[in-house]
Amino acid sequence: MQNHFDVIVIGGGHAGTEAAWAAAGVLGPEARVAFVTMDPSRIGTMSCNPAIGGLGKGQIVREIDALGGLMGLAADASGIMFKVLNASRGAAVRGPRCQNDKYAYAFEVQRLLSTRPGITVFSGTVSQLLTSSDGAMRGVMLPAGAGVVHPRDVRDEIILPGRPITPVYPQSPESHARCDAPLELQASAVVLTTGTFMRALMHTGERQEEGGRVGEGTAVGISGMLRELGFELGRLKTGTPPRLRRGSIDWDGLDPQAGDERPVPFSDLTSPARFPVLDQITCRITETASETHELIRANLHRAPMYSGSIEAESGPRYCPSIEDKVVRFADRESHHVFLEPESLRTDEIYCNGISTSLPEDVQERVVHSMRGCEHAEIIKWGYAVEYDMVRPHQIDATTMTRPVPGLFLAGQINGTSGYEEAGGQGLLAGLNAARLARCEALCTLGRDQAYIGVMMDDLVTRTPREPYRMFTSRAEHRLLLRSDNADARLTPWGHALGLIEPVRWEAWTRREQQLQVIRMIFAADNERISREARRQDTPLEDIETLCRQDATCPDAPALLERVLTEVRYEGYIERQHRDVARQKREESVSIPDDLDPAGIQGLRNEARDALLRYRPGTLGQAGRIEGITPSDLTLVAIAIKRRSRSD
């Protein structure tokens, strides 16, 4: 068995799959990417809510797709309810979202991975991270019993409602080429994506169980390895709600939540003729009651979140447990709970809104106190999980770690929460790992380029004390970072770096030509179109009619809506471009790696400590670090100028 690879990716979640896909794509037909995961049959698993996208998150999915990633394609192939959130509000804050058949989603991710040459899947855990004498990565060690997993031939398989789904990468021993001795895999670039599995511990009431997900194990040794390499670790927690049996719920009288009549796909490569692929469903809404809240308050001492049995610092503030909601919003008499099917193939219903770590007997009473769920049967209990993470001030915006060159981190190991955030980091990590393997300069995304760039900048300038979640409010240039223009922002950039396949580039070129036709119509000397287009209440159908009266316009409502947004917000967009230009002047001033903050005269101790901890690459990045004031920046700028003159 050959053991030398260009890139090694560890972890089969959303960060790991995007990393392996991107690295193999950039490296081309001769790529050698090792993809190591504990259970290959669980690659691409949606471990919590089987949904993709949302506010801020939907923009990231569109960006992943614009850069040639997997998530948008898999979401479109497995979506069972598509809806644009905030559709009645401005284009900058709209967020595409879909509910997915979680089994179909994992199947599609695995199917796509199996089609990319150069990716070799290994079943096993990492027993050692190997470094060279200069401290850089040189590979990993897998224990005896690890080995290559061969995918099934799924070229002719189609995802259909009611049809059983078998994993593409089976876990059965006969599918593995196992090694009787420890196996060393060599590579100068390693991407670590441990998710919630690093020294993971699950809690349901007083009961504790090792593992980052029900039915799976924990990666105990990696935490120790990282500490030995000099990394500072933290500990976070998250949770998941109980799942109910569909047939045990009284659906009559529960308010429906339907998807869009004209659903919009995530991927630019999704064929309208085959979208949506699966039957679309309707979710329902119920709610907690005062009885529910009294029950929870009476049992807070039995919830690990409050009993002290969880050592993690904090949980996700923007996706709190029902215990947190009851305590933090004591004046609320009820909270909405969305009942969302997890699959078209099973009876599992996800209770979105009551993530919990309460004991099983309390969970049962909580569920039965909700309207329509009086006799509901719980088929999976909710639980909290605590896990180790690496303080992300130890990576830079490329995702590569500072202490160990060649080691890249992506996903929840960096303190983030969510499939989308993980996928965006994974794609960037895979891209840069491949570029490092080819001895090419590493890449970053700016805050004005992508939500992925906003996220990476936030992570390296502010250590998260709770799982980081993306929102549109985090982006100061969100009018430029709309979900509808992700391809214009990123596909040419990705094409230049080798991420974009020919079929996607051809589709993008055709779409740009269509957009130029529409823009020419709006820019023409036609006051009637200009006046109507700028009215907020003008129906899209009217604009289509106006365009067709003046030129042959393609039948593409989405493209018309996009140009209409550009026209309506023209002044604001120009202002944001000016702001970006000003900020780029600050970003262009690099801070030398060997500039010692302790030697900058007059700099406050707090500023010195912050600069030493985060090691910002530019003055602009330094200005976003907690504890740095404008006067501190002035002193740093002076020190940089003096240094350049002396050089």
Side-chain angles (χ1 to χ4, degrees):
M1 182 182 295
Q2 293 184 342
N3 66 346
H4 181 76
F5 293 87
D6 302 305
V7 174
I8 298 171
V9 177
I10 302 166
H14 304 277
T17 53
E18 296 291 352
W21 179 261
V26 170
L27 292 167
E30 303 302 317
R32 287 188 53 78
V33 175
F35 189 16
V36 183
T37 180
M38 289 191 293
D39 183 351
S41 69
R42 302 298 298 273
I43 289 173
T45 292
M46 307 180 88
S47 55
C48 195
N49 190 1
I52 293 292
L55 303 179
K57 292 170 172 283
Q59 282 86 335
I60 292 180
V61 181
R62 289 281 296 127
E63 291 172 357
I64 291 171
D65 184 72
L67 291 170
L70 292 170
M71 187 169 284
L73 286 166
D76 288 348
S78 60
I80 56 178
M81 189 184 85
F82 291 84
K83 189 177 183 65
V84 175
L85 306 184
N86 275 351
S88 62
R89 300 184 62 187
V93 295
R94 294 172 191 159
R97 181 188 186 272
C98 73
Q99 193 74 16
N100 298 88
D101 182 316
K102 67 179 184 180
Y103 302 105
Y105 183 91
F107 173 88
E108 184 64 10
V109 169
Q110 293 182 31
R111 187 192 68 79
L112 288 167
L113 285 171
S114 72
T115 66
R116 177 145 285 184
I119 298 177
T120 303
V121 174
F122 286 82
S123 174
T125 58
V126 172
S127 59
Q128 191 176 354
L129 297 171
L130 306 174
T131 56
S132 56
S133 58
D134 62 357
M137 287 302 304
R138 67 176 180 86
V140 303
M141 186 71 75
L142 306 184
V148 174
V149 180
H150 302 291
R152 296 187 300 108
D153 186 352
V154 293
R155 284 173 295 182
D156 298 326
E157 286 197 28
I158 301 174
I159 299 174
L160 293 173
R163 181 172 177 174
I165 291 179
T166 303
V168 177
Y169 291 96
Q171 180 64 1
S172 57
E174 57 269 19
S175 67
H176 298 189
R178 293 181 179 272
C179 293
D180 296 329
L183 176 63
E184 180 179 327
L185 305 181
Q186 299 174 358
S188 60
V190 175
V191 182
L192 187 57
T193 69
T194 56
T196 61
F197 285 86
M198 205 158 64
R199 207 165 61 88
L201 189 62
M202 295 181 291
H203 299 259
T204 301
E206 297 83 0
R207 178 166 57 83
Q208 298 180 358
E209 181 181 352
E210 287 190 348
R213 196 160 53 206
V214 168
E216 298 185 57
T218 180
V220 177
I222 292 181
S223 294
M225 299 177 214
L226 291 171
R227 284 197 177 93
E228 288 179 5
L229 291 172
F231 286 95
E232 176 190 346
L233 304 186
R235 197 152 177 85
L236 293 177
K237 61 187 176 185
T238 188
T240 191
R243 273 65 160 181
L244 311 183
R245 190 175 302 282
R246 186 196 310 262
S248 66
I249 298 171
D250 182 6
W251 297 97
D252 295 338
L254 295 181
D255 297 333
Q257 283 282 295
D260 294 336
E261 286 187 21
R262 296 173 62 182
V264 179
F266 279 107
S267 178
D268 291 327
L269 293 186
T270 296
S271 169
R274 289 196 66 245
F275 178 80
V277 176
L278 302 179
D279 295 337
Q280 299 296 286
I281 53 91
T282 299
C283 298
R284 301 276 175 164
I285 302 177
T286 183
E287 63 282 320
T288 60
S290 56
E291 171 192 348
T292 318
H293 298 187
E294 291 173 8
L295 176 62
I296 292 170
R297 292 189 190 99
N299 286 277
L300 282 175
H301 64 286
R302 301 179 63 194
M305 295 281 193
Y306 288 88
S307 66
S309 59
I310 291 182
E311 60 180 274
E313 298 168 13
S314 61
R317 180 160 47 109
Y318 298 106
C319 187
S321 67
I322 188 61
E323 298 97 291
D324 283 334
K325 289 181 182 178
V326 169
V327 172
R328 287 166 49 191
F329 308 107
D331 57 327
R332 290 281 299 273
E333 294 184 358
S334 66
H335 294 281
H336 281 140
V337 179
F338 298 86
L339 302 179
E340 302 170 333
E342 292 200 325
S343 174
L344 299 179
R345 295 161 178 78
T346 67
D347 284 340
E348 299 164 284
I349 300 295
Y350 183 91
C351 296
N352 189 351
I354 55 168
S355 173
T356 183
S357 64
L358 285 162
E360 294 171 1
D361 63 301
V362 181
Q363 288 190 39
E364 187 170 39
R365 292 159 64 191
V366 165
V367 167
H368 290 169
S369 70
M370 300 188 308
R371 185 166 54 95
C373 300
E374 292 85 353
H375 305 289
E377 179 184 348
I378 299 176
I379 56 179
K380 289 183 182 178
W381 301 105
Y383 61 90
V385 58
E386 56 175 318
Y387 56 95
D388 285 348
M389 48 84 74
V390 175
R391 304 285 189 200
H393 67 269
Q394 298 162 104
I395 65 172
D396 60 26
T398 69
T399 78
M400 189 169 78
T401 66
R402 292 189 174 97
V404 182
L407 178 61
F408 297 81
L409 306 182
Q412 286 173 289
I413 193 172
N414 287 332
T416 60
S417 172
Y419 309 144
E420 303 83 0
E421 291 88 345
Q425 293 171 69
L427 188 149
L428 189 60
L431 164 65
N432 280 317
R435 291 182 67 81
L436 181 71
R438 296 202 306 198
C439 300
E440 296 174 347
L442 305 191
C443 303
T444 62
L445 285 164
R447 296 182 70 92
D448 61 305
Q449 277 183 284
Y451 273 89
I452 298 172
V454 173
M455 171 176 59
M456 291 309 306
D457 189 68
D458 284 349
L459 290 176
V460 301
T461 57
R462 298 176 179 88
T463 297
R465 299 296 174 182
E466 62 186 19
Y468 177 97
R469 181 178 181 180
M470 180 52 71
F471 289 100
T472 54
S473 58
R474 294 189 187 275
E476 62 272 35
H477 307 303
R478 55 185 172 273
L479 192 53
L480 303 181
L481 306 182
R482 306 186 309 275
S483 63
D484 66 351
N485 69 352
D487 60 335
R489 292 185 277 117
L490 297 173
T491 298
W493 186 82
H495 181 258
L497 297 173
L499 282 168
I500 306 302
E501 295 177 289
V503 63
R504 184 180 293 275
W505 184 245
E506 291 169 8
W508 181 84
T509 302
R510 287 195 303 270
R511 194 163 51 252
E512 278 299 301
Q513 291 171 348
Q514 293 173 344
L515 282 166
Q516 288 306 318
V517 170
I518 300 172
R519 290 186 182 112
M520 287 173 62
I521 293 171
F522 278 101
D525 187 17
N526 190 320
E527 294 183 3
R528 178 166 50 88
I529 290 180
S530 179
R531 183 173 60 254
E532 290 293 322
R534 284 175 167 79
R535 281 178 49 196
Q536 293 290 335
D537 59 348
T538 303
L540 180 60
E541 292 78 8
D542 291 354
I543 299 298
E544 289 188 66
T545 301
L546 289 170
C547 287
R548 289 197 180 104
Q549 288 175 356
D550 291 87
T552 301
C553 183
D555 185 17
L559 298 184
L560 285 170
E561 180 68 43
R562 181 161 153 184
V563 175
L564 187 56
T565 296
E566 295 172 357
V567 171
R568 284 175 172 167
Y569 294 97
E570 182 179 9
Y572 297 101
I573 290 173
E574 288 179 357
R575 184 186 304 170
Q576 287 207 350
H577 280 303
R578 290 195 297 270
D579 292 342
V580 168
R582 185 183 67 253
Q583 292 174 9
K584 281 188 173 180
R585 288 193 291 270
E586 295 180 348
E587 291 289 350
S588 65
V589 180
S590 298
I591 300 177
D593 291 338
D594 56 352
L595 180 67
D596 183 9
I600 300 178
Q601 189 173 2
L603 195 64
R604 298 176 306 115
N605 288 335
E606 182 182 1
R608 288 195 182 99
D609 292 343
L611 291 171
L612 285 169
R613 180 177 178 84
Y614 292 99
R615 288 290 180 186
T618 66
L619 273 182
Q621 201 173 70
R624 294 188 291 274
I625 293 176
E626 296 168 316
I628 303 293
T629 67
S631 59
D632 296 327
L633 276 183
T634 300
L635 293 174
V636 174
I638 292 171
I640 293 172
K641 288 180 180 178
R642 286 175 176 169
R643 179 188 173 88
S644 62
R645 284 199 297 266
S646 64
D647 291 345

